[in-house]
Amino acid sequence: MPSGRHRLSSPTAATTRRVAGSPLGITAIVVALIALTAIAVPVTMNALGCGDTRYLRVSATQSTATVMREAASEFNSAEHSYGGECVYAQVDEIPPHRILNALTGSRPGDSTIAPHVWVPESSAWVELARVSDGGAHGIETDPPSLASSPVVLAAPPDTEGMPDQDDASWSLLLPGERDPDRPVVMVDPNRGADGMTVMHAIREHLGTGDEADTAMTDFVRDVQLDSAFGEIDLTSVFTGSAAANQRVDPVIAVPEQAVVSYNDRRADSAPRLRAHYVSEGTVNLDYPYVTTTDDSVLRSAAADLYEVVRGDTYRERMRELGFRDPDGEASPVLAGRSGIIAEPPATHEDLTGDALLASVTDWNRLSMPSRTLVLADASENMSESLDGGTEQIEVAKQAALMGLAMFPDETDMGLWLMSEELGENGREESADMHPLGAADDGDVTRRQEMIEVAEGLEVAGGGSRLYDNVLAAYDQVQDNFHEDKINSVILLTAGQDEGSSDISHEELIAALQDRFDPRRPVTMFVIGFGEGADERELAQIARATSGSSFVAEDPAEIGDFFLSSISRRLCVPNCDN
């Protein structure tokens, strides 16, 4: 990160500036700097009689990198040599998820970014490395902590609906517990332990079961668009601009240290932030110093660098930056900062092992984009009324439009209409699979095209050929399966085949069971309309693919079913039915 410091020009530099300002001069300077960077350390080390010069790669978080670089400079100035090999420490800021991938890959020693010393924001990353499929190679099992900072909820002091600083709850982040216009900002759990903390805490609050899964789905869909892909810089959220000051301020889950850093650096026009501490307990980020190499020389160098960074000078620097001591105690420097409660908050140590994997897996499954084919019934039975007045085809329109509104632009969606009157195969393939946010011609997106088709749904008449069309739609999605998406068929139907298909209900169930592959699951979600819908038959179709079914009696219930259906991602392919 840039330091913000700028060297002042000297009077004797005028000629040099003229030469440097030319394209040739700029090129020469760049080449010279690269050359000096490449040779300065080896030349120095060789002058000391080093047989070889080696580099201790250190990866730190953005918030600790400044201190680690200062400590590395002191380490390097001591000119360490180990058995004739000189070691020079280099500090980089690389996101922890990239380091995790590098350390747990099939050949981590070959990685160009795998560090010899790793300072992530939490030992949770070390735990993830241990329980990952690749396993950790040479990683330290009980790393010491350099500092700590609890995960808090940050908001301006006058934020409506926020409780006292010491009486917050994770439930404040749920959609129904706050102003619907007030967004929640958190780090994607794949990229930050503070995000893992939130997901774990929300799951603990909601519990387990279908209702809990539906509520978790609602939460993830609500926050995922505002989630960050790395450490959150609060100065980029609360900028102090006129536009920022007119919006509804978000509630943000961050380390306490980020609040301190923001209040120290904020623009005069930007609001101060206050840290809210969760009464039911939070997670203390512990910034471990992790040695990840088996090499004896580099391990010795790592131990010596640790002795430097754990000293009083750098411990005090961490305190100045807003960190607590490793035991969670706030120094007098931190206790005097605005928006902070010095007393250590309630914490728990549950964010380990299976709980970590569950929190990340829940997020990934619920935020993963979808690839779905909508199969809509246009048979004669759809002209019957659902509630004594509204035709089923009209309710199907509402359901289709509601579904379109709930799926993000990244969703691949297609639409088939089914009726004996719609061609030889008993269907019309109105729209092939295409991202909802993409536009083929001009500025018209697939979502807009699908809305137009849905609004124009009409009864075509005849039988539905329900069983034939369900199997054809399932085969279509399975044959074009995408590994990085949730693949499904959504069926909107009056639920009656009446002998119009070439196959029977029993043959359809047997075929779906045979085709369903737990390693490449395609799931059926079924919404039936009207008294004629055979609830038992529709449920069997859904269960054959680890899906779910629902027979609508009240159109207002359809939105809840869509949400519940999406939550099935958490259990597929092992859902209880």
Side-chain angles (χ1 to χ4, degrees):
M1 294 291 290
S3 66
R5 295 188 294 272
H6 302 277
R7 179 176 296 169
L8 298 176
S9 300
S10 69
T12 59
T15 303
T16 303
R17 282 201 305 271
R18 285 196 296 272
V19 174
S22 69
L24 181 59
I26 291 172
T27 301
I29 289 171
V30 171
V31 171
L33 287 174
I34 293 173
L36 284 173
T37 302
I39 67 173
V41 173
V43 167
T44 301
M45 295 299 189
N46 286 336
L48 295 173
C50 298
D52 193 10
T53 300
R54 304 187 64 182
Y55 296 90
L56 182 72
R57 294 198 300 265
V58 181
S59 176
T61 65
Q62 181 178 328
S63 55
T64 62
T66 298
V67 174
M68 291 305 302
R69 287 196 178 100
E70 292 171 2
S73 293
E74 180 174 328
F75 170 87
N76 292 336
S77 68
E79 301 174 342
H80 288 272
S81 176
Y82 306 88
E85 294 185 331
C86 296
V87 178
Y88 180 85
Q90 296 178 317
V91 178
D92 290 313
E93 298 172 28
I94 301 176
H97 69 280
R98 292 189 61 201
I99 299 298
L100 176 69
N101 291 339
L103 292 176
T104 59
S106 58
R107 301 181 67 183
D110 293 342
S111 172
T112 58
I113 68 167
H116 306 119
V117 172
W118 185 23
V119 187
E121 79 274 22
S122 171
S123 293
W125 288 106
V126 181
E127 182 74 7
L128 274 178
R130 293 194 192 116
V131 302
S132 66
D133 291 339
H137 302 265
I139 195 167
E140 191 171 359
T141 56
D142 188 22
S145 169
L146 296 180
S148 68
S149 192
V151 179
V152 300
L153 303 181
D158 57 352
T159 300
E160 185 178 351
M162 291 299 290
D164 293 338
Q165 267 190 279
D166 60 352
D167 194 30
S169 170
W170 295 114
S171 63
L172 285 171
L173 304 183
L174 294 172
E177 300 293 328
R178 66 179 192 279
D179 182 338
D181 294 327
R182 189 179 307 288
V184 166
V185 176
M186 59 181 274
V187 172
D188 184 313
N190 293 283
R191 291 169 168 81
D194 36 349
M196 298 177 205
T197 297
V198 173
M199 280 295 290
H200 175 68
I202 293 295
R203 172 55 79 185
E204 287 289 296
H205 174 78
L206 294 175
T208 58
D210 290 345
E211 289 187 9
D213 285 351
T214 299
M216 177 61 85
T217 302
D218 197 17
F219 168 72
V220 171
R221 290 176 63 82
D222 184 60
V223 303
Q224 70 181 94
L225 293 179
D226 293 310
S227 62
F229 291 95
E231 289 184 62
I232 298 174
D233 180 358
L234 293 172
T235 59
S236 68
V237 180
F238 300 93
T239 61
S241 67
N245 291 334
Q246 290 176 1
R247 73 179 179 204
V248 177
D249 287 326
V251 174
I252 308 182
V254 288
E256 177 189 64
Q257 185 272 336
V259 177
V260 176
S261 177
Y262 165 83
N263 283 336
D264 285 348
R265 299 181 296 124
R266 68 181 179 87
D268 291 340
S269 57
R272 285 195 171 273
L273 292 184
R274 178 180 290 167
H276 291 261
Y277 301 84
V278 179
S279 58
E280 61 258 41
T282 185
V283 166
N284 229 9
L285 305 183
D286 60 341
Y287 301 88
Y289 184 94
V290 188
T291 303
T292 65
T293 179
D294 287 329
D295 185 287
S296 60
V297 168
L298 295 178
R299 287 187 70 86
S300 295
D304 287 341
L305 176 59
Y306 174 66
E307 289 303 314
V308 174
V309 77
R310 73 188 289 265
D312 292 342
T313 298
Y314 300 105
R315 179 65 55 84
E316 193 59 34
R317 285 286 290 118
M318 294 291 254
R319 291 167 177 163
E320 291 171 359
L321 291 175
F323 291 99
R324 292 175 181 256
D325 290 343
D327 61 3
E329 292 295 322
S331 68
V333 174
L334 178 61
R337 290 312 227 291
S338 172
I340 300 300
I341 295 178
E343 182 180 353
T347 59
H348 57 74
E349 304 301 327
D350 293 340
L351 199 62
T352 58
D354 291 342
L356 276 172
L357 289 176
S359 68
V360 174
T361 300
D362 276 6
W363 176 273
N364 288 343
R365 287 189 174 184
L366 292 172
S367 60
M368 182 181 280
S370 300
R371 181 173 175 80
T372 190
L373 177 58
V374 178
L375 182 60
D377 195 343
S379 68
E380 183 62 34
N381 290 319
M382 291 295 288
S383 63
E384 298 176 6
S385 66
L386 176 63
D387 55 6
T390 307
E391 286 188 355
Q392 293 174 26
I393 193 68
E394 293 299 320
V395 180
K397 286 183 187 181
Q398 295 176 34
L401 292 170
M402 190 176 300
L404 280 167
M406 294 183 72
F407 286 96
D409 285 347
E410 296 77 17
T411 303
D412 287 342
M413 186 172 284
L415 174 65
W416 288 4
L417 305 179
M418 58 182 185
S419 164
E420 287 179 317
E421 302 299 317
L422 296 176
E424 181 180 352
N425 294 323
R427 61 180 173 272
E428 176 184 296
E429 300 179 8
S430 301
D432 59 2
M433 299 285 232
H434 203 66
L436 288 175
D440 282 335
D441 300 311
D443 296 326
V444 179
T445 65
R446 171 48 57 93
R447 186 187 301 277
Q448 292 169 317
E449 293 174 359
M450 294 279 284
I451 288 173
E452 186 175 344
V453 172
E455 288 177 339
L457 281 178
E458 294 181 351
V459 174
S464 65
R465 295 192 63 173
L466 176 63
Y467 306 147
D468 289 347
N469 281 307
V470 165
L471 190 58
Y474 193 87
D475 286 343
Q476 174 71 15
V477 177
Q478 191 172 60
D479 290 346
N480 296 279
F481 187 89
H482 279 219
E483 295 282 354
D484 58 347
K485 297 191 176 185
I486 299 295
N487 298 261
S488 64
V489 176
I490 297 176
L491 173 63
L492 309 175
T493 180
Q496 302 170 60
D497 183 88
E498 298 175 324
S500 58
S501 291
D502 292 333
I503 61 173
S504 66
H505 177 262
E506 290 75 16
E507 289 170 328
L508 170 63
I509 299 304
L512 291 174
Q513 290 173 336
D514 181 63
R515 284 163 166 75
F516 182 72
D517 182 352
R519 296 166 301 180
R520 295 164 56 87
V522 176
T523 307
M524 293 286 310
F525 298 116
V526 183
I527 300 180
F529 304 107
E531 296 179 357
D534 190 318
E535 189 167 357
R536 177 175 168 274
E537 284 195 357
L538 295 179
Q540 288 175 333
I541 292 172
R543 281 200 299 267
T545 64
S546 203
S548 59
S549 64
F550 168 74
V551 174
E553 297 178 1
D554 180 354
E557 299 173 341
I558 294 174
D560 291 337
F561 173 74
F562 271 117
L563 201 59
S564 176
S565 297
I566 294 169
S567 74
R568 300 284 286 189
R569 297 178 176 193
L570 297 176
C571 61
V572 171
N574 301 308
C575 298
D576 295 327
N577 292 285

